[in-house]
Amino acid sequence: DWSSDVCASISLNGAPIYYGGGSIGAGYTLTVTAGTTIKMGNSSLSIAGGATLIAEGTSGLPITFTSQAVDPQPGDWGSINVNGDSHLSMAYCDVGYAGGAAGNRIFYIVSDDMQIRHSRIHHSQGVGVTIDHESSMPVFEDVEFDHNTSWPILQEAISTNPAYIDLYFHDNGIDALNIGWSNVGLSM
């Protein structure tokens, strides 16, 4: 079990790891290895400016971020907050059952340096991903968004410059990309 701020560069290996909340401190890296399951409590994981989260699974050994509940429900845990000047790299991750904090989303992105590839974002109690920074350039490639109670992606500003490559939206409250509060398309 783990319930504190990350104040050193560490790796998490194995399954399951129970996480109670905190942040990755500036200058530190949290690496989650392939095949690891992180079971989130009623809390969020924040990546401070200057900090890094690397969660890169493989097709045969994905990484899972999920609820600690026996019967997971949308909103069981908070969110992953990618703050300004932080770094996020995720691949082959299954991230679900979040959005229980005030933001009602799985990811809150303010950083310029983040990418999510070959992953699934699902069962949020609201939006799958909120991008809330005008100069953000996040990369989303081969990502499935499903069963979020609202939009898969809420891009707050039209001036944001994301890369959306092979996204698949289905069974969300609204199957559309919301850019500056206008809906765009059903699939990309």
Side-chain angles (χ1 to χ4, degrees), residues 2-26:
W2 165 49
S3 182
S4 65
D5 292 340
V6 175
C7 297
S9 293
I10 62 170
S11 292
L12 298 178
N13 307 298
I17 294 170
Y18 293 87
Y19 179 66
S23 66
I24 305 169

Side-chain angles (χ1 to χ4, degrees), residues 156-175:
E156 296 278 355
I158 194 85
S159 59
T160 302
N161 191 21
Y164 297 130
I165 306 159
D166 296 327
L167 303 184
Y168 182 54
F169 303 159
H170 67 91
D171 300 308
N172 296 287
I174 304 168
D175 279 325

Side-chain angles (χ1 to χ4, degrees), residues 33-35 55-63 91-93 118:
T33 61
E56 296 177 349
T58 66
S59 60
L61 290 170
I63 294 169
Y92 297 100
C93 290
H118 316 296

